[in-house]
Amino acid sequence: MAYQDHIIEMSQLIKSKNGAWDGIDADGVARMRLQNRFKTGLEIARYTADIMRKDMAAYDADPANYTQSLGCWHGFVAQQKMISIKKHFGSTKGRYIYLSGWMVAALRSDFGPLPDQSMHEKTSVPALIEEIYTFLKQADARELGMIFRDLDAARAAGDKKREEKLLDAVDNFQTHVVPIIADIDAGFGNAEATYLLAKKMIEAGACALQIENQVSDEKQCGHQDGKVTVPHEDFLAKVRACRYAFLELGVDNGVIVTRTDSLGAGLTKQIAVSHAPGDLGDQYNSFLDCEEITPDKLSNGDVILNRNGKLLRPKRLPSNLFQFRPGTGEDRCVLDSITSLQNGADLLWIETEKPHVEQIAGMMDRIRAVIPNAKLVYNNSPSFNWTLNFRQQVYDVWVAAGKDVSAYDRAKLMSVDYDTTDLAIEADERIRNFQADGAKRAGIFHHLITLPTYHTAALSTDNLAKEYFGAAGMLGYVLNVQRQEIRQGIACVRHQNMSGSDIGDDHKEYFAGEAALKAGGVHNTMNQFA
C-alpha cells in the first residue's frame, strides 16, 4: 500500500471514533506502518523465498545472474552489511545473508566457544535468525525515518520538487530484508528433531535451510577430518522433514539446500538397507571397503554382505565405523547430489577441500547430465588458503604449458617475496574471477563466505589494539576508525542514530506532541557528525 493510501485509511479510521482518537496522527501511523513492513517471521520467510525462486530462474536463464552472501554472527553485522550494500550498489538484489552453524558454535553458544560439531544449543540458531531480521527491520525504520525527516523539511521549505522525489523514494523503498540461508547442520538429532528445529527456523524468518549428510552425533566441520556420512534414506527422511515444516507453515516456496560431505568423508556409521541389486542402499554399500571371504573365514560378530553370490566383509574400524574405499569420494558426491535433487532438494552444496573451478565442474557436469538445471551453493571458505591454492594452480598450469618456473618454489608460494611477481598477479586475477567463472562453468548459483565477519572482527580489533595501546594512543582510534568512518560515510559513525535514538524521538513526538522530551536536541554530540 502506498504512503498516501495508509494516511487516507488511518484518517477514516480515526474519524470513525467520534473524537476519541483525535490525538492520533494519521501521518504518524502511516509512517510507523511503513517502517515496520514485516509483522512476523513467516511473512519474511514467504517474501524471501519468492525472491530466491526468482533469482534461481534468472540464473537458469543466464549464469551471470549468480547470487552472493557473507556469513554473519550478529544482527548488527548483518545490518551493517546490508546498509553498506545499499550505499555502494543502490540495490540488495542478489545479495543474501548466510547463517553459519560454525559461527553460532564459536560465538553464540552459552557453553562458550565450541568447535563446529553440533554441540551448541539448537535454539541458538533460530534465535540468531530472529535477531538478524530484527536488525534488518530496524535498518528499514532508520532509513525511512530519515526520508520522512527530509520530507518534512522539504514541505517546510515549500520545495515541491524535492517533496515529490522523497514521496517516490518512500513508495519505492527497497527493504534491507533479504533471504537468509540458514545452517541446520545435520538436523540435531533424528528426523523429528530436524522437523521441530526447521519449524523454529522458518518461523523466525528463514526461507532456505541447508542440511548436510553427516551423522548428527558425530558431525564435524566440513573442513575437518573424521566426517561420517549416513545412508541416503536416512538423509532423505530429514530432507522431507524440512519440506513438511515449510508446507505446514505455508511457505510453499521454501528452499532446501542439501550438502554432501562425501568428498572428504571416508566413513559411515551404518550399512544401508538394500532390497534388490542396484537399489539406493546397494549403491551406497558398493563404495564400502570390503574383502571377499569364504564361510570358513568368518569371525564372531562379523557383518557380511552378499553381492552377486559373493560374501564380502566390510572393513570395520575399532570405533565401530565402516570405511569407504579410497578414491570414491567424487562418485559418492555425484550420487548424493542426484539423489537429493530427485527427492525434493532445490540446491546442492558440495564441500570441497580446495577452491578449484574444474574440480567442481567435473562433478557438476556428471550431475547435470542427469538433472540439467542442477545448481550449487558453494562455500568460498576461509578454511582454504586462497593465495597459496591459486598460486599453485597457476604454477601447475605454467608447468603444463612448458613455461619456465625456475624462479618459484611451489611449496613456498605463499611468501611475500612473490607478491609482485607475474605468477602472483595472475593468481589474484583468477581469485577475482573465481565467482563469475564458477557460476558460468560449474553451475554455482550462490557464492558465500561462511566465516568472513569472524575474521574481520579479529583483524580490525587486532589493528586497533596495536595502535591504541601503543605509541599512537587515541590517534590510533581516530585515524584508523573514526576518521575513516566519516570519510567513507559509514552509517554507524552516528551511533546514537544507528541505535534508534532518532526513531524514538519521532515516536515521542507522535505520542506527546510538543511536550515530548527528545534526545536529539542541540546539545546532542551526534550533531558534530551532521
Side-chain angles (χ1 to χ4, degrees):
M1 188 185 296
Y3 178 30
Q4 193 60 38
D5 292 334
H6 279 292
I7 295 174
I8 293 170
E9 182 181 292
M10 283 301 99
S11 296
Q12 292 172 345
L13 178 61
I14 291 166
K15 187 177 180 180
S16 73
K17 299 303 177 180
N18 299 318
W21 285 13
D22 284 356
I24 303 297
D25 176 41
D27 192 7
V29 177
R31 293 182 179 193
M32 292 172 76
R33 280 186 165 189
L34 291 169
Q35 287 174 291
N36 186 27
R37 172 180 172 181
F38 300 99
K39 308 302 187 292
T40 69
L42 285 177
E43 286 184 43
I44 292 172
R46 294 185 189 108
Y47 168 77
T48 53
D50 288 343
I51 289 175
M52 279 197 72
R53 294 291 178 174
K54 290 175 183 175
D55 287 347
M56 290 160 68
Y59 174 82
D60 286 340
D62 182 354
N65 296 318
Y66 63 90
T67 57
Q68 300 166 291
S69 65
L70 296 174
C72 297
W73 54 274
H74 193 281
F76 177 73
V77 175
Q79 177 197 65
Q80 293 305 301
K81 170 188 151 183
M82 298 316 303
I83 288 174
S84 295
I85 287 171
K86 283 193 73 174
K87 179 183 74 173
H88 291 297
F89 305 104
S91 171
T92 60
K93 182 173 175 54
R95 277 85 178 202
Y96 305 165
I97 288 167
Y98 180 65
L99 189 154
S100 162
W102 192 102
M103 285 208 285
V104 173
L107 299 170
R108 301 302 302 263
S109 172
D110 287 344
F111 294 109
L114 294 172
D116 183 21
Q117 296 171 358
S118 289
M119 295 190 292
H120 54 282
E121 310 86 349
K122 64 174 67 177
T123 52
S124 59
V125 183
L128 180 54
I129 296 168
E130 183 177 7
E131 175 183 292
I132 288 173
Y133 280 127
T134 297
F135 273 81
L136 295 184
K137 290 192 293 181
Q138 194 259 10
D140 281 358
R142 170 186 169 272
E143 186 176 336
L144 280 164
M146 293 190 294
I147 295 174
F148 290 137
R149 288 183 172 213
D150 289 344
L151 178 61
D152 291 340
R155 285 171 172 169
D159 189 339
K160 291 292 184 182
K161 187 174 182 180
R162 178 154 176 75
E163 179 184 351
E164 290 176 6
K165 184 177 180 180
L166 290 165
L167 287 170
D168 182 70
V170 172
D171 287 338
N172 293 286
F173 181 79
Q174 185 178 50
T175 178
H176 296 81
V177 170
V178 297
I180 288 178
I181 298 176
D183 187 356
I184 197 170
D185 277 27
F188 285 87
N190 61 17
E192 175 69 6
T194 301
Y195 154 76
L196 293 171
L197 178 55
K199 278 184 64 175
K200 286 292 185 183
M201 293 169 70
I202 297 162
E203 287 168 342
C207 73
L209 304 178
Q210 170 231 320
I211 186 165
E212 60 204 64
N213 69 336
Q214 293 190 48
V215 292
S216 296
D217 58 339
E218 299 283 355
K219 181 258 190 295
Q220 296 279 9
C221 172
H223 293 282
Q224 292 182 322
D225 204 355
K227 292 181 289 295
V228 183
T229 63
V230 297
H232 296 97
E233 289 297 347
D234 294 46
F235 182 59
L236 295 177
K238 294 185 178 183
V239 173
R240 288 190 288 269
C242 292
R243 182 64 67 200
Y244 270 101
F246 274 124
L247 295 175
E248 177 185 340
L249 296 171
V251 186
D252 297 349
N253 257 353
V255 176
I256 298 175
V257 183
T258 51
R259 173 177 133 183
T260 172
D261 281 287
S262 289
L263 194 62
L267 303 169
T268 183
K269 200 169 188 177
Q270 299 165 262
I271 293 176
V273 174
S274 173
H275 300 288
D279 66 12
L280 198 53
D282 189 48
Q283 291 180 69
Y284 186 79
N285 294 338
S286 71
F287 296 112
L288 291 170
D289 191 357
C290 300
E291 60 175 335
E292 185 178 350
I293 63 168
T294 56
D296 60 297
K297 299 295 184 181
L298 291 176
S299 300
N300 186 54
D302 272 351
V303 174
I304 302 299
L305 297 178
N306 176 10
R307 180 172 297 130
N308 299 323
K310 296 179 180 179
L311 297 181
L312 302 177
R313 180 167 55 196
K315 183 173 182 180
R316 183 158 59 178
L317 305 180
S319 61
N320 203 30
L321 299 172
F322 297 94
Q323 184 170 294
F324 290 113
R325 296 194 316 277
T328 62
E330 287 203 6
D331 290 339
R332 286 183 283 127
C333 279
V334 171
L335 179 61
D336 295 344
S337 299
I338 292 171
T339 301
S340 291
L341 291 175
Q342 289 174 334
N343 288 272
D346 302 293
L347 296 169
L348 302 172
W349 175 318
I350 299 175
E351 195 77 311
T352 65
E353 83 288 356
K354 60 182 179 293
H356 195 295
V357 169
E358 286 305 315
Q359 179 200 27
I360 304 162
M363 289 183 279
M364 283 301 289
D365 286 347
R366 295 171 63 188
I367 295 165
R368 285 184 151 188
V370 179
I371 302 174
N373 68 338
K375 291 178 282 295
L376 270 180
V377 171
Y378 187 72
N379 178 8
N380 293 222
S381 177
S383 294
F384 304 141
N385 185 332
W386 286 76
T387 301
L388 180 61
N389 267 290
F390 275 83
R391 287 181 182 182
Q392 289 180 338
Q393 287 180 36
V394 172
Y395 180 97
D396 293 342
V397 169
W398 284 10
V399 168
K403 193 168 182 177
D404 181 15
V405 293
S406 60
Y408 303 98
D409 182 341
R410 190 181 187 279
K412 297 180 180 179
L413 287 174
M414 184 66 203
S415 172
V416 67
D417 295 338
Y418 294 122
D419 281 359
T420 58
T421 63
D422 290 344
L423 184 146
I425 292 168
E426 183 174 332
D428 282 353
E429 188 66 9
R430 288 182 178 228
I431 294 172
R432 187 178 74 83
N433 292 323
F434 175 80
Q435 294 189 340
D437 290 345
K440 183 177 181 180
R441 172 70 184 93
I444 301 176
F445 159 71
H446 185 75
H447 283 277
L448 61 90
I449 308 178
T450 43
L451 321 176
T453 53
Y454 176 91
H455 291 281
T456 54
L459 179 62
S460 61
T461 302
D462 179 84
N463 290 335
L464 175 60
K466 178 180 66 176
E467 297 298 320
Y468 176 75
F469 293 104
M474 191 58 195
L475 183 61
Y477 172 77
V478 172
L479 181 63
N480 297 315
V481 180
Q482 188 180 80
R483 194 174 298 171
Q484 297 308 312
E485 288 180 304
I486 295 170
R487 298 282 189 263
Q488 296 178 41
I490 305 299
C492 69
V493 69
R494 298 178 66 231
H495 48 258
Q496 306 286 16
N497 166 269
M498 194 74 256
S499 69
S501 179
D502 289 345
I503 296 172
D505 275 359
D506 292 340
H507 292 172
K508 290 174 186 177
E509 190 168 359
Y510 300 156
F511 305 155
E514 293 182 357
L517 182 63
K518 297 190 288 186
V522 294
H523 298 297
N524 189 320
T525 59
M526 284 292 100
N527 294 328
Q528 297 171 25
F529 300 94

